[in-house]
Amino acid sequence: MKTTDIIVLVVVLIITVGYFAYNFFSSRTKNVEHEAVSSNNGIADKMEEENLNALVLFGSQTGTAEDFAYRFSTEAKSKYKFANSTEDLENLDFTDLDKLNTSKLLIFFLATYGEGEPTDNAENFLELIESEDTIFSSGKGAEDRPLANLRYVIFGLGNHTYEHYNAMAKRVDSALNALGAQCIGPVGLGDDAAGLLEEDYLQWKDEVFPEIAKVYQLQEVHEEYKPMYNVIEKPDIFAESPTVFLGESSRQQLKGIVSQAPNSPANPFHSTPVNSRELFRNDTRNCLHMELDIAGSNMKYQTGDYVSICPMNPSQAVDDLLDILGLKDKRNMVVIVKPFNPMDKLPILSPTTYDSVFRYYFEICGIVSRQLIFLIAPFAPTEEAKKELTKLGSDKDSFKANVADMHLNLAQVLRRVSFGVPYTKVPISLLLENLGHLKPRYYSISSSNLAHPDKVHVTAVVDKKEWVDQNHIFYGLTTNYLLAHCRHQHGEPAPHPNGLQYSLEGPRQRLSGRIPMFIKRSTFHLAPPEVPIIMVGPGTGIAPFRGFVMERAHLAAQGVQVAKTVLFYGCRRSDTDFLYKEEWDTYAKSLKDSFELHTAFSRERDQKVYVQHLLLQQSSLVNELIAAGAWFYICGDAEHMAKDVTSALATILTTVKEDGAKRIKSLRDENRFFEDTW
């Protein structure tokens, strides 16, 4: 070979090696981007290869179960030196579960989605352990109790207002037990209905950790905090560098590459609001209508699905936290985050800046966790602050009265306790380990995919709660973010009535007022046009039903025969907060006698009338439609309205021969009773 040929071959070889090396190391960061990674790794092989005592597994729809899983994993390592790793359920092959022996432990964090269903990433796992046809690697089937050597613990995330409360945790526990596995300690049932999920988790972990320690002969280690991550400041790198993450959700977005992956939190579609308005506004409340353009996104939705909005934190909250941490002057400092243990996964895309960390990547506006307050206490700037934080972090009642009931976030608690003295000694790693990631918020789509295939309509009341005696206001994160977009679209000089400011232009000013979003599938879908429907949705609970009625009116206008469509709607007053008041007559013209709207305006009479009262008044109609095969829908408040409506329906359906509550259960079993409540 000629010398020139050899040189060319060497160059090609170097480029090839470099290419594969780049892809290998790039793939190591995918866990940070929360992308589903296809894997054929058997769970037993993984634990053996990585020398793990335990594996923390999560089935998560919104990211909450994932956050709890990582928190538990971190505490198990620091508190007991219990070697473990955290993994998404869909990334592992579980057919070799029977290879695990009693020296290994599986720890499950399992959210229940919809009407008792598994989350998307837990479907295959649940199917495998519940199926009678599953054959494990040893050749044994379910009847052989092949998992007799498996030990596990479970924490479930659910909502008690749903009939199938924490169904996923219960089903997995039952299935594993039937296969011979042994549960260590109590199955945790976290309840998100009244904001109790955090306290339920803390109580459960305090019960289950001693059980794990007893079985595995672990000794609790009492030592000073040791960070999981090395946070390295890089003053020599400019924040504007093209390699620095300034809020981008993925490596592809940073590079300006349009990903072909399905839209998700790691790959949202940036939608332009094409039409927005305030359905009503007054001194205390605003309600938004917003239409998001999805043309060219390849996203399709069904009437009744959810739109998932990826918000950002307002500048005031970011400034407040940076200030109380003593980082305000370093907000644009570039930092690189590296795990001290190379097997630990990064909590964030890196390199990034302090401003980006708290503006785009972590939850800083919600109620701070009691556990985080306790962990920060040793780093308080004064002894008085340390004492108070320790009390708040260890005393559940004190925390509830002084933090949870007032919806205080991390910065607000720290500032109140120290009277503004900054916490300059708090390790950033401590925050990265314990703050939850900023999650999408889900809203029922209020349009029909048949009438508006390229637009998604959103209906949302802007959240605001005020404590006048404490001079404190809590602002809902995503609804205020959407309000800022609405005001911005209309060019109002004071773009936000609550004085909040958002970087609507997004990272590197690439969003230009667009909103990161994606579609989330729902089981709350419209019945076929020949099936009668009864809908109950006061307030913004009307959102999916606007889509339902819109679709049936659209079909009727095309000559499709549409069955009876009855809507029960309630609000305070007909002249202030009657949502889409001007539209219902238009739909009625298309639907004619097929459509009935029954309204309750609770503040217009001396005696308040609510939707459940209207339902009782129309008991003959309701009975007739249910007998004719109608589907029944409820959307809105879970704690009071949904219960009262369900009770009213039970009263209507009760006969001499049949109990109404049992009849409702039959409707559920027949997939004719649906709830979408919060």
Side-chain angles (χ1 to χ4, degrees):
M1 295 178 68
K2 294 181 181 180
T3 303
T4 53
D5 292 335
I6 294 173
I7 293 173
V8 170
L9 285 172
V10 170
V11 170
V12 170
L13 180 62
I14 291 172
I15 292 172
T16 303
V17 172
Y19 172 80
F20 284 107
Y22 171 80
N23 279 286
F24 171 78
F25 287 108
S26 293
S27 69
R28 297 278 294 174
T29 65
K30 286 191 175 180
N31 48 55
V32 181
E33 299 168 26
H34 305 289
E35 295 177 355
V37 181
S38 177
S39 172
N40 293 318
N41 282 348
I43 186 170
D45 292 339
K46 176 182 175 66
M47 296 187 75
E48 189 67 32
E49 290 169 6
E50 298 182 15
N51 197 26
L52 299 174
N53 299 120
L55 200 56
V56 186
L57 302 159
F58 59 85
S60 187
Q61 199 72 23
T62 64
T64 304
E66 181 179 358
D67 282 341
F68 277 122
Y70 276 101
R71 284 173 56 185
F72 188 91
S73 170
T74 300
E75 188 168 353
K77 292 172 187 173
S78 62
K79 197 170 187 177
Y80 293 102
K81 303 302 178 185
F82 199 39
N84 74 86
S85 179
T86 307
E87 193 62 73
D88 189 318
L89 274 170
E90 71 179 354
N91 291 346
L92 291 170
D93 177 5
F94 288 92
T95 55
D96 67 344
L97 268 177
D98 54 332
K99 288 183 179 179
L100 295 179
N101 58 44
T102 55
S103 68
K104 307 296 184 183
L105 176 68
L106 299 186
I107 302 156
F108 295 94
F109 285 83
L110 303 168
T112 297
Y113 178 62
E115 295 292 332
E117 299 150 23
T119 55
D120 293 343
N121 69 326
E123 286 182 354
N124 291 339
F125 170 71
L126 183 64
E127 182 180 353
L128 181 136
I129 62 173
E130 285 191 333
S131 173
E132 295 180 357
D133 299 326
T134 296
I135 302 296
F136 289 91
S137 61
S138 62
K140 293 182 178 179
E143 69 282 356
D144 301 313
R145 296 178 64 82
L147 306 185
N149 291 324
L150 176 64
R151 289 170 170 171
Y152 66 94
V153 295
I154 294 177
F155 182 77
L157 294 81
N159 184 315
H160 81 268
T161 61
Y162 283 84
E163 181 191 16
H164 303 286
Y165 172 55
N166 260 310
M168 186 59 181
K170 295 173 183 177
R171 288 174 66 182
V172 169
D173 178 49
S174 176
L176 290 178
N177 187 263
L179 292 169
Q182 176 190 358
C183 185
I184 297 174
V187 173
L189 300 178
D191 185 7
D192 196 34
L196 300 174
L197 192 57
E198 174 73 17
E199 286 301 325
D200 289 339
Y201 165 70
L202 294 179
Q203 180 178 338
W204 171 79
K205 79 169 183 67
D206 287 345
E207 293 175 359
V208 83
F209 265 133
E211 293 293 330
I212 294 173
K214 179 180 178 181
V215 172
Y216 290 90
Q217 299 181 340
L218 305 175
Q219 296 295 321
E220 186 173 351
V221 178
H222 298 279
E223 61 182 16
E224 292 185 354
Y225 166 76
K226 290 184 178 179
M228 286 182 63
Y229 306 107
N230 189 11
V231 182
I232 308 163
E233 294 184 350
K234 304 294 287 187
D236 55 318
I237 301 178
F238 293 107
E240 296 77 16
S241 167
T243 62
V244 177
F245 289 91
L246 298 180
E248 290 85 0
S249 58
S250 67
R251 205 162 297 280
Q252 287 90 342
Q253 187 185 344
L254 178 67
K255 295 176 180 178
I257 299 172
V258 178
S259 174
Q260 300 303 311
N263 293 111
S264 66
N267 183 40
F269 176 71
H270 297 125
S271 172
T272 301
V274 292
N275 181 25
S276 65
R277 66 185 189 273
E278 291 179 63
L279 298 174
F280 66 78
R281 70 160 87 172
N282 53 44
D283 293 338
T284 58
R285 296 194 302 160
N286 306 69
C287 186
L288 304 177
H289 170 85
M290 186 170 282
E291 299 176 15
L292 303 177
D293 188 1
I294 61 172
S297 68
N298 294 321
M299 286 191 297
K300 306 293 181 184
Y301 73 96
Q302 286 184 276
T303 305
D305 278 344
Y306 301 114
V307 56
S308 309
I309 305 294
C310 303
M312 65 178 69
N313 291 309
S315 295
Q316 287 87 341
V318 177
D319 292 346
D320 196 22
L321 184 55
L322 289 172
D323 182 58
I324 201 64
L325 293 174
L327 294 173
K328 201 166 187 178
D329 293 338
K330 289 185 174 183
R331 67 184 317 137
N332 293 318
M333 172 68 72
V334 173
V335 294
I336 293 177
V337 181
K338 295 182 178 181
F340 284 108
N341 182 344
M343 298 308 298
D344 287 333
K345 298 175 182 178
L346 287 172
I348 194 169
L349 293 162
S350 168
T352 185
T353 66
Y354 287 126
D355 184 282
S356 301
V357 167
F358 298 122
R359 186 179 302 276
Y360 294 107
Y361 296 128
F362 284 97
E363 296 272 2
I364 65 170
C365 292
I367 302 171
V368 61
S369 77
R370 181 161 62 88
Q371 185 177 26
L372 180 55
I373 289 177
F374 185 82
L375 293 172
I376 288 177
F379 305 100
T382 66
E383 283 300 317
E384 292 78 8
K386 179 179 179 180
K387 182 178 178 181
E388 182 62 22
L389 288 177
T390 301
K391 179 182 178 182
L392 290 173
S394 56
D395 186 332
K396 182 167 65 174
D397 294 333
S398 177
F399 174 82
K400 182 179 184 301
N402 296 289
V403 178
D405 286 351
M406 290 182 59
H407 291 58
L408 295 183
N409 62 38
L410 173 60
Q412 291 163 343
V413 171
L414 297 184
R415 188 174 298 281
R416 287 185 175 219
V417 167
S418 73
F419 299 98
V421 180
Y423 293 67
T424 57
K425 296 181 180 179
V426 175
I428 299 302
S429 179
L430 180 63
L431 302 179
L432 300 184
E433 294 163 29
N434 290 279
L435 284 172
H437 289 91
L438 194 55
K439 304 174 186 66
R441 268 57 170 183
Y442 301 94
Y443 298 89
S444 295
I445 295 175
S446 56
S447 55
S448 160
N449 67 303
L450 296 185
H452 298 281
D454 292 331
K455 292 185 180 66
V456 167
H457 294 193
V458 184
T459 307
V461 167
V462 179
D463 292 328
K464 176 183 176 182
K465 186 176 177 67
E466 188 169 1
W467 290 260
V468 178
D469 58 331
Q470 296 286 338
N471 191 31
H472 172 62
I473 302 175
F474 169 80
Y475 298 108
L477 178 65
T478 307
T479 53
N480 279 278
Y481 169 66
L482 292 177
L483 178 58
H485 272 285
C486 180
R487 294 289 178 92
H488 175 265
Q489 186 182 25
H490 292 281
E492 299 192 29
H496 203 291
N498 295 328
L500 300 176
Q501 296 176 330
Y502 294 84
S503 298
L504 299 183
E505 66 278 4
R508 291 182 171 82
Q509 300 185 331
R510 288 177 177 173
L511 292 186
S512 303
R514 291 177 294 159
I515 298 174
M517 52 79 70
F518 59 98
I519 302 297
K520 185 64 192 169
R521 300 299 172 206
S522 167
T523 57
F524 197 81
H525 285 150
L526 176 59
E530 67 275 10
V531 177
I533 59 172
I534 303 168
M535 303 162 285
V536 185
T540 54
I542 203 172
F545 302 140
R546 176 179 179 261
F548 286 11
V549 176
M550 181 188 295
E551 180 154 317
R552 290 202 158 188
H554 179 81
L555 291 170
Q558 294 179 332
V560 177
Q561 188 70 34
V562 173
K564 196 72 173 182
T565 303
V566 181
L567 172 61
F568 293 90
Y569 172 70
C571 62
R572 295 179 181 180
R573 305 186 63 86
S574 60
D575 58 350
T576 57
D577 57 348
F578 187 176
L579 299 184
Y580 302 108
K581 180 179 181 179
E582 70 286 355
E583 294 185 12
W584 302 111
D585 286 343
T586 303
Y587 298 139
K589 288 177 182 177
S590 295
L591 291 167
K592 299 187 171 74
D593 293 341
S594 296
F595 179 60
E596 289 189 21
L597 172 63
H598 300 273
T599 53
F601 305 112
S602 61
R603 304 289 172 89
E604 290 189 353
R605 299 182 181 182
D606 293 336
Q607 186 173 2
K608 293 182 178 180
V609 177
Y610 297 109
V611 285
Q612 61 267 28
H613 302 133
L614 296 180
L615 201 67
L616 290 168
Q617 290 171 14
Q618 299 294 324
S619 58
S620 295
L621 174 63
V622 172
N623 252 319
E624 177 187 335
L625 293 178
I626 293 294
W631 292 12
F632 194 95
Y633 300 86
I634 304 174
C635 184
D637 168 60
E639 195 65 31
H640 302 290
M641 183 277 297
K643 289 181 178 179
D644 291 340
V645 168
T646 303
S647 176
L649 180 61
T651 299
I652 292 170
L653 297 180
T654 296
T655 66
V656 175
K657 295 182 178 180
E658 187 173 24
D659 177 68
K662 290 182 178 179
R663 184 73 182 100
I664 291 176
K665 186 179 186 309
S666 297
L667 292 176
R668 292 184 193 271
D669 294 340
E670 296 165 13
N671 288 321
R672 292 172 53 199
F673 185 94
F674 302 90
E675 291 179 285
D676 186 0
T677 58
W678 54 86

